[in-house]
Amino acid sequence: MKPAVLAIDGGNSKTDVLLVADDGTVLASVRGPGASPQHVGVQRSMDALAALATEATAQAGLPAGPPFARHTAACLAGADLPREEAELHRAIAERDWSETLAVDNDTFALLRAGTDDGVGVAVVCGAGINSVGVAADGRTSRFPAIGRISGDWGGGAFLGQEALWWAVRAEDGRGAPTELLPAVVAHFGTRSAAEVVEALHFGELDHAVLHELCPLLFEVAEAGDAIATELVDRQAEEIGLMASVTLRRLDLLDAPTVVLGGGVLAGAGRRLVPDIRRRCAKVAPEVQVRLVEAPPVIGAGLLGLDHVGATRAARERLAGAAL
């Protein structure tokens, strides 16, 4: 008998895949690189996911698929707009991975991983930033989350770029002095911030390395640098704003749950949690704000178990699984 759920958490930096039995047992768990369709294209993204699902089937000692399971719960970065969800749904459905299929943005996996019933608000701050909310009656609230053109501010890549921006301007006199300048220069082992810019311009450094400056930004802020502190405080403000707007939209003001996750908040950004809680409490005084430690793929698996009507015991077993 096929596993109940093929659970996929497809992020920008990594992809996690689980095969889950009806009783919530994890039959296989595999991890691969990020395969966001926005970065690699839909076809390559599907090929990468299929390879991971095949690896999971082999790990579980099951006959090779597809189909891999009775239901696929795919929570994917890049499923930001309805037309993207529809395109990814078609692309997966064509491969016959399962009898039934649900495609959602990966932020829904975070929300389900951090709640008992999937009701509440989730804000993910990793390479980018995004937020979703689900009310008890099934209503949802989302943001496009496709960068500054959709009103976004923040995320690890953005903060890294800001750190370099301020360092460059401090060096050439256009900006105020900041300890970000010596920190950036030391991080890259160059003689100046201008050398970093030149290496990025000529492709000698991949722009992805700017994400490495995000934890450095938090370190400089902790040491009291005014500019770094302002950027970190603005990130907390933005996360609190996204959560608060969503709470209002869905009228989730009576002891709601706000779930936080993503590489920035799980790492150096942990210090932001009390500030985010304070900001959310302005609209929902009894709000519970929690930083989720469980891998979001657990949330994708729980969404799958919800779909197939699994027992509470099965959901609790998966929620407590150690991957």
Side-chain angles (χ1 to χ4, degrees):
M1 188 174 183
K2 290 293 182 183
V5 177
L6 168 65
I8 303 170
D9 172 47
N12 290 308
S13 60
K14 60 180 173 56
T15 304
D16 287 324
V17 170
L18 300 181
L19 285 176
V20 183
D22 288 87
D23 67 354
T25 300
V26 175
L27 302 173
S29 173
V30 299
R31 170 170 289 185
S36 169
Q38 289 181 342
H39 295 161
V40 303
V42 173
Q43 184 67 32
R44 287 180 60 191
S45 176
M46 295 300 103
D47 290 345
L49 297 181
L52 290 172
T54 299
E55 182 182 345
T57 300
Q59 184 185 110
L62 296 170
F68 300 110
R70 301 199 310 279
H71 176 72
T72 296
C75 296
L76 308 173
D80 295 311
L81 299 170
R83 71 162 70 178
E84 291 170 326
E85 285 187 353
E87 181 181 17
L88 292 169
H89 194 284
R90 285 193 299 270
I92 295 176
E94 288 171 357
R95 301 206 173 205
D96 295 322
W97 290 350
S98 56
E99 299 168 11
T100 57
L101 164 66
V103 175
D104 290 300
N105 183 267
D106 57 337
T107 314
F108 283 96
L110 172 66
L111 177 59
R112 185 63 183 87
T115 57
D116 293 332
D117 54 6
V119 173
V121 174
V123 182
V124 61
C125 187
I129 188 167
N130 199 0
S131 178
V132 300
V134 177
D137 61 6
R139 288 177 297 126
T140 62
S141 173
R142 298 176 61 174
F143 297 96
I146 52 177
R148 287 186 69 85
I149 62 171
S150 63
D152 303 343
W153 194 99
F158 179 92
L159 291 174
Q161 292 171 9
E162 288 290 292
L164 178 60
W165 191 88
W166 282 101
V168 169
R169 291 174 71 88
E171 183 173 85
D172 65 22
R174 286 180 292 173
T178 171
E179 290 303 310
L180 286 169
L181 173 56
V184 167
V185 170
H187 179 79
F188 288 110
T190 58
R191 291 170 297 180
S192 67
E195 284 188 16
V196 178
V197 172
E198 188 171 318
L200 289 166
H201 177 68
F202 287 111
E204 296 159 358
L205 277 177
D206 191 305
H207 279 257
V209 301
L210 292 180
H211 199 303
E212 299 171 6
L213 298 181
C214 183
L216 180 146
L217 169 66
F218 280 89
E219 291 174 12
V220 175
E222 285 282 354
D225 183 80
I227 288 174
T229 298
E230 183 178 348
L231 288 171
V232 169
D233 288 346
R234 172 68 192 278
Q235 183 66 90
E237 177 185 2
E238 189 67 20
I239 293 170
L241 180 62
M242 294 183 86
S244 298
V245 167
T246 305
L247 290 170
R248 287 197 187 99
R249 281 179 175 177
L250 296 177
D251 196 27
L252 290 173
L253 305 179
D254 184 16
T257 297
V258 173
V259 174
L260 305 176
V264 172
L265 289 170
R270 285 175 177 268
R271 68 179 290 270
L272 300 183
V273 175
D275 193 9
I276 296 168
R277 182 181 293 109
R278 177 180 58 80
R279 294 173 187 276
C280 292
K282 292 180 180 179
V283 299
E286 301 302 317
V287 66
Q288 299 179 48
V289 178
R290 63 181 64 149
L291 184 61
V292 174
E293 303 287 350
V297 71
I298 292 287
L302 289 169
L303 288 170
L305 289 182
D306 292 342
H307 180 88
V308 301
T311 64
R312 180 180 182 85
R315 297 194 301 270
E316 289 177 348
R317 180 174 290 109
L318 177 58
L323 301 183

